[in-house]
Amino acid sequence: TVGRSFLCRPVVPYSSVSNAMRRSLSSASPMSGSDASAEPNTDKLFTAEHEAMRSTLRRIIEQDINPYVDEWEAKEIFPAKQLFKKLGNAGLLGVTRPVEYGGLGLDYSYSVALAEEYGRVNCGGVPMAIGVQSDMATPALARFGSHELKEQFLRPSIAGDLVACLGVSEPTAGSDVASIKTTARRDGDDLVINGSKMWITSGMQADWMCLLANTEASVKDPYLSKSLICLPLDLPGVQRARKIRKIGMHSSDTAQLFFENVRVPASYLIGEPGQGFIYQMLQFQEERLFGAAANLLGLELIIQETAEYARQRKAFGQSLLDFQTVHFRLAELLTEVELLRSMVYRATAKYVAGNDVTMLASMAKLKAGRLVREVTDSCLQYWGGMGFTDEVRVSRFYRDGRLLSIGAGADEVMLSIICKYMRTLPKPPKK
Amino acid sequence: YIHIINKADMAASKGLKILVGCKRVIDYAVKVRVKPDRSGVVTEGVKHSMNPFDEIAVEEAVRMKEKKLAGEAVAISVGPPQSQETLRTALAMGIDRAIHVEIPLAQLEKLQPIHVSKLLAKVCESEKPDLVILGKQAIDDDCNQTGQMLAALLDWPQATFASKIEPSQDSKQLRVTREVDGGLETIDVSVPAVVTSDLRLNEPRYATLPNIMKAKKKPLAKMSPDQLGVDLQPRQEVISVEDPPVRKAGAKVESVEDLVGKLREKGLVK
């Protein structure tokens, strides 16, 4: 499955210190209360440590990511190895992962705090790829993998030494994960893999893939016939067929791969055979909350930036911002963003306290995907002709943001889940 | 008072003890606004962080520890309860322990460098550091006084606007390169001494996440101005605080003659 989409545009700050001190460009969320940065944290969810970690991530975004985003978008790839090593050194890739393998062993609220901060990156592709590395490719491995497997794949992924990707989606199976066709058949002490995967984020650069494949030929239930396997991608038979050209998320390389009789030791299977789908499903709540959280800041910043643009843009003798339709609309949009934020925090708090938040997380993901489309579309309109060019950030956000309703669980899948909780899903017709 | 240390080779000793000052200020990226009553600027609900020059000072202390020039680095902050967050940042960067001199809110706005330097001097009496590193100035008041005042109170040598700190040739003193109007000046100072950090001294590290968590366990001691016996009576009164004048638009000229003509018009050239 393809992951999350975040986009943010930093605003050049006022500073009383010399140019050399201007690390880069970032004001924090400027719309809340005063036009200064982050209001004091009144939520019990986030502590001073959460804020300190966000500051560290912010520095890295300002120094090591944002200055290069335009270049990476143009090249349609970013240097994952280099960047992940920097993130790994700062401890950002294993926040919720076990301490024994280099992680911090913290609860999910820390991931959410960092996810929000990723909204400061000037594009969606890079945070999406980071999210795959830190949150999507390794949860099952961390929880169910053998010690040897964790030493070989988890530790280096947390350290940023290996680039990971997640191999679930296929050309004929996206939302319908149960009907994937890739197989991994037992042959002596090996598993032999045949099939293909599509939409693989970081697939062109990754060192290994967390692969979901059919392993239990005798099991009829498609949800119990699959396993997760750690697959090194430099093995014979692995073909990185092409980098898919997309309308957005350009800096993230999205690959289609083919596997022809690829052999791995059977010990590379994570946990129990046949449990692969269940394992991956366990982290869906986190993945969906992450997707929603990661867009909050970017949406705020795009609304603010649009207001600033409209303020200085003159039309029919007045500032564009002075037209009531414009400033009222922006107020509506910001209201929606704050509502989504409240939902994300509430779901996170409940999750951290040990509750199942599948319904809330699915709702948050659904709302986030739709809100990103609504906000970027409305804001782009106020940029007029400029909004249609490559020269402004709102158009990149518009393109990148469209993925959120599709990847990491399409809107329709989210709706089905909510209906299941509402008990309104129709029963399958009797045969 | 004079504190005499063993003047043996610095590299051979167990290293200098460094005291680093950190001030909590309004974050450099914030758009500062004047309060409607013009008594000061809005600080309520505004993002604060460690003074950038103090971050550089903290970084230098940590680097000196890593180079084994220093044995222990202690951070100190004079300020409101929230200054503890600033100290935790310093601890997360690698400082060993912290001291918070808590100033009640009522006295905070009237606190001046003279008070801070007296408080620091008192702490130096008990902590007995070999080196005090302060940021050259705070970005909120731009005073550029505390380091100099502290050195005077302690009767210690001072090396301000440091862009480099290293052992002197004979390793018995510190060789400090200072950024001055004419360029760079290099001086040797004996320890104990006060040094203030300038922009190009170093590039501060960001705290790694594991270190942020470790910082929670490092010791943070609290003190009050009363305990230190320092009187915080203000010696200045702020009459008003105003926005700087709005910059007026300029005009473009086509030629040198035009420029001279315009300057004459405005009476700027005779």
Side-chain angles (χ1 to χ4, degrees):
Chain A
T1 46
V2 187
R4 35 213 71 124
S5 63
F6 332 114
L7 183 69
C8 136
R9 159 101 229 266
V11 176
V12 178
Y14 163 84
S15 174
S16 66
V17 184
S18 71
N19 277 330
M21 287 303 289
R22 261 170 243 248
R23 302 292 149 118
S24 192
L25 2 134
S26 208
S27 65
S29 57
M31 297 301 287
S32 22
S34 58
D35 63 320
S37 15
E39 64 220 29
N41 183 21
T42 52
D43 302 314
K44 293 198 185 87
L45 191 58
F46 299 136
T47 64
E49 281 74 42
H50 290 86
E51 293 307 319
M53 292 186 188
R54 282 185 71 160
S55 289
T56 290
L57 176 54
R58 189 161 152 181
R59 281 267 187 99
I60 295 179
I61 292 171
E62 288 173 1
Q63 277 172 223
D64 299 314
I65 301 180
N66 276 346
Y68 306 101
V69 161
D70 287 349
E71 179 196 323
W72 294 341
E73 285 276 300
K75 282 202 184 125
E76 300 197 357
I77 198 161
F78 78 99
K81 262 257 155 59
Q82 277 170 255
L83 181 60
F84 288 178
K85 192 60 201 152
K86 290 203 175 102
L87 296 170
N89 286 341
L92 283 161
L93 295 178
V95 173
T96 54
R97 299 286 173 254
V99 175
E100 304 80 62
Y101 299 97
L104 283 176
L106 297 170
D107 70 54
Y108 198 65
S109 66
Y110 289 87
S111 283
V112 171
L114 293 171
E116 257 204 271
E117 197 64 29
Y118 277 116
R120 216 175 279 287
V121 177
N122 279 352
C123 69
V126 172
M128 176 170 79
I130 296 172
V132 167
Q133 178 82 8
S134 64
D135 281 64
M136 291 177 66
T138 56
L141 175 60
R143 221 167 136 182
F144 301 104
S146 68
H147 170 70
E148 294 75 25
L149 222 47
K150 285 194 261 203
E151 282 293 334
Q152 189 174 354
F153 294 100
L154 183 62
R155 180 186 293 283
S157 297
I158 292 173
D161 289 321
L162 288 183
V163 177
C165 69
L166 181 62
V168 174
S169 297
E170 295 185 0
T172 55
S175 293
D176 186 9
V177 179
S179 54
I180 58 165
K181 295 190 168 40
T182 300
T183 56
R185 296 283 176 243
R186 190 73 186 243
D187 180 27
D189 287 331
D190 294 339
L191 290 165
V192 180
I193 299 162
N194 280 285
S196 71
K197 291 293 177 188
M198 182 88 157
W199 312 119
I200 307 305
T201 298
S202 305
M204 297 307 291
Q205 303 187 70
D207 296 299
W208 71 281
M209 171 188 279
C210 181
L211 171 81
L212 185 71
N214 293 295
T215 50
E216 313 307 301
S218 54
V219 173
K220 283 220 169 63
D221 185 341
Y223 295 104
L224 297 173
S225 59
K226 299 166 173 53
S227 304
L228 284 173
I229 299 161
C230 293
L231 172 60
L233 293 173
D234 58 353
L235 293 174
V238 174
Q239 191 197 352
R240 297 183 220 238
R242 66 183 179 113
K243 189 163 77 172
I244 301 167
R245 295 207 63 208
K246 316 177 294 290
I247 65 165
M249 301 290 199
H250 288 149
S251 47
S252 167
D253 50 304
T254 312
Q256 178 169 19
L257 297 99
F258 290 101
F259 310 113
E260 199 180 340
N261 294 324
V262 180
R263 280 186 174 266
V264 294
S267 59
Y268 281 20
L269 193 146
I270 297 173
E272 293 299 312
Q275 291 295 296
F277 185 84
I278 309 285
Y279 290 164
Q280 200 57 27
M281 222 175 61
L282 288 170
Q283 56 92 36
F284 282 169
Q285 295 176 78
E286 295 185 4
E287 194 178 299
R288 282 157 198 172
L289 280 178
F290 194 103
N295 281 279
L296 296 168
L297 191 55
L299 288 173
E300 275 191 72
L301 290 169
I302 215 78
I303 291 169
Q304 187 231 7
E305 198 184 347
T306 303
E308 282 316 303
Y309 174 78
R311 191 193 304 277
Q312 52 87 30
R313 175 74 182 176
K314 300 276 182 282
F316 304 104
Q318 63 187 91
S319 150
L320 194 62
L321 187 63
D322 287 347
F323 287 93
Q324 195 176 78
T325 180
V326 178
H327 56 264
F328 271 19
R329 181 66 181 134
L330 293 176
E332 277 178 351
L333 295 173
L334 189 64
T335 302
E336 298 271 316
V337 174
E338 288 297 343
L339 284 167
L340 179 59
R341 173 175 276 130
S342 292
M343 171 171 243
V344 170
Y345 286 2
R346 176 173 152 229
T348 302
K350 288 183 88 160
Y351 183 69
V352 162
N355 299 294
D356 179 283
V357 294
T358 302
M359 190 184 73
L360 283 180
S362 306
M363 288 174 163
K365 166 74 170 52
L366 172 71
K367 183 63 186 175
R370 290 177 167 185
L371 189 59
V372 167
R373 286 148 72 180
E374 198 184 346
V375 170
T376 55
D377 184 73
S378 297
C379 286
L380 194 149
Q381 183 69 12
Y382 296 143
W383 287 76
M386 288 308 294
F388 203 63
T389 70
D390 252 348
E391 294 165 35
V392 295
R393 284 341 139 105
V394 66
S395 55
R396 182 185 290 160
F397 199 177
Y398 175 84
R399 291 182 287 104
D400 288 355
R402 187 59 185 82
L403 184 59
L404 192 59
S405 280
I406 298 169
D411 283 1
E412 289 75 13
V413 174
M414 298 301 108
L415 286 163
S416 296
I417 293 169
I418 298 165
C419 285
K420 222 183 337 198
Y421 279 85
M422 290 174 70
R423 298 188 216 285
T424 54
L425 265 189
K427 294 190 176 44
K430 287 207 169 84
K431 293 202 172 111
Chain B
Y1 94 98
I2 298 175
H3 165 159
I4 300 169
I5 63 154
N6 185 352
K7 295 264 195 232
D9 188 10
M10 238 170 250
S13 75
K14 64 174 156 71
L16 302 170
K17 177 175 177 180
I18 306 181
L19 184 68
V20 186
C22 321
K23 185 181 181 186
R24 177 180 182 264
V25 297
I26 294 177
D27 187 85
Y28 78 91
V30 164
K31 260 183 109 160
V32 177
R33 286 189 314 176
V34 177
K35 282 200 256 199
D37 65 0
R38 301 211 276 168
S39 62
V41 297
V42 178
T43 55
E44 188 75 33
V46 166
K47 180 160 200 258
H48 285 67
S49 41
M50 193 189 299
N51 183 38
F53 294 108
D54 300 348
E55 274 185 2
I56 293 173
V58 168
E59 174 66 24
E60 195 62 20
V62 174
R63 287 190 191 189
M64 287 177 79
K65 271 190 62 181
E66 287 168 349
K67 285 187 227 168
K68 307 260 190 274
L69 284 168
E72 190 190 12
V74 183
I76 181 165
S77 188
V78 177
Q82 296 94 321
S83 292
Q84 285 196 54
E85 287 161 26
T86 311
L87 287 168
R88 292 269 170 232
T89 305
L91 292 170
M93 284 170 73
I95 299 292
D96 299 305
R97 61 183 167 87
I99 300 169
H100 177 209
V101 179
E102 188 166 340
I103 306 296
L105 225 56
Q107 293 169 299
L108 195 59
E109 290 204 338
K110 301 195 175 41
L111 199 68
Q112 294 286 306
I114 185 73
H115 306 120
V116 176
S117 51
K118 284 183 179 174
L119 289 164
L120 293 179
K122 270 289 169 176
V123 173
C124 283
E125 266 178 38
S126 49
E127 287 285 335
K128 300 201 191 346
D130 302 306
L131 177 63
V132 178
I133 314 181
L134 305 178
K136 72 171 180 183
Q137 65 196 63
I139 61 170
D140 50 7
D141 55 22
D142 284 333
C143 280
N144 183 7
Q145 295 171 13
T146 307
Q148 292 88 332
M149 286 179 171
L150 177 62
L153 287 169
L154 293 170
D155 197 24
W156 287 7
Q158 61 179 266
T160 53
F161 316 118
S163 62
K164 195 171 181 157
I165 307 174
E166 54 197 334
S168 61
Q169 292 245 268
D170 62 2
S171 294
K172 291 191 167 54
Q173 296 182 307
L174 286 175
R175 175 156 290 182
V176 182
T177 306
R178 306 178 56 226
E179 295 204 359
V180 297
D181 287 344
L184 296 174
E185 177 193 66
T186 306
I187 59 173
D188 285 349
V189 287
S190 55
V191 291
V194 175
V195 172
T196 70
S197 61
D198 208 328
L199 187 64
R200 278 162 281 274
L201 181 59
N202 60 50
E203 175 87 37
R205 67 195 64 197
Y206 39 73
T208 65
L209 272 54
N211 284 343
I212 289 170
M213 296 310 286
K214 283 189 201 141
K216 285 174 76 160
K217 304 196 180 87
K218 291 186 180 176
L220 197 159
K222 261 214 220 174
M223 287 185 193
S224 73
D226 289 339
Q227 278 176 285
L228 293 167
V230 173
D231 173 24
L232 297 187
Q233 189 68 247
R235 291 138 75 120
Q236 287 171 215
E237 189 197 333
V238 172
I239 310 289
S240 91
V241 176
E242 293 170 13
D243 279 300
V246 175
R247 195 178 158 173
K248 296 202 186 72
K252 269 194 171 158
V253 292
E254 296 299 308
S255 69
V256 174
E257 288 78 20
D258 280 346
L259 175 62
V260 174
K262 285 245 152 50
L263 289 172
R264 277 219 181 88
E265 260 177 61
K266 296 201 182 291
L268 297 167
V269 164
K270 291 206 170 96

